[in-house]
Amino acid sequence: MALMITDECINCDVCEPECPNGAISQGDEIYVIDPDKCTECVGHFDEPQCQQVCPVDCIPLDPGHQETKDQLMEKFLKLTGKA
């Protein structure tokens, strides 16, 4: 699954630079995650880096974008040009 940012986001700016895929950006009110770019850090790290640094734990799995680890790895390979 891709991740999502909930409305508990406090716009602290720590998640955006941690995303190796550039999937996090400032939305109208809070930060948002582009599900087409989010691989939950598969291919880069063992754990999603945005979740690790978020001080309010507002980055859960997005139930609207369910993906297996294999699908996330496939997305990683496409995004990085390694496919």
Side-chain angles (χ1 to χ4, degrees):
M1 289 186 193
L3 300 170
M4 61 184 278
I5 297 176
T6 66
D7 59 5
E8 285 97 28
C9 176
I10 58 172
N11 289 311
C12 66
D13 303 322
V14 298
C15 61
E16 184 180 23
E18 295 300 319
C19 182
N21 296 324
I24 301 174
S25 62
Q26 180 64 49
D28 291 337
E29 295 181 27
I30 60 172
Y31 278 87
V32 294
I33 296 177
D34 180 345
D36 293 331
K37 293 181 179 178
C38 179
T39 63
E40 296 178 44
C41 289
V42 168
H44 296 284
F45 301 101
D46 292 333
E47 300 288 329
Q49 298 301 288
C50 59
Q51 286 181 330
Q52 299 299 310
V53 299
C54 181
V56 292
D57 295 324
C58 68
I59 309 175
L61 292 172
D62 183 348
H65 295 94
Q66 296 186 10
E67 297 167 290
T68 65
K69 291 288 183 191
D70 288 340
Q71 289 171 316
L72 292 169
M73 179 57 81
E74 199 172 302
K75 190 190 310 184
F76 160 76
L77 293 172
K78 285 180 185 175
L79 288 169
T80 59
K82 297 179 181 179

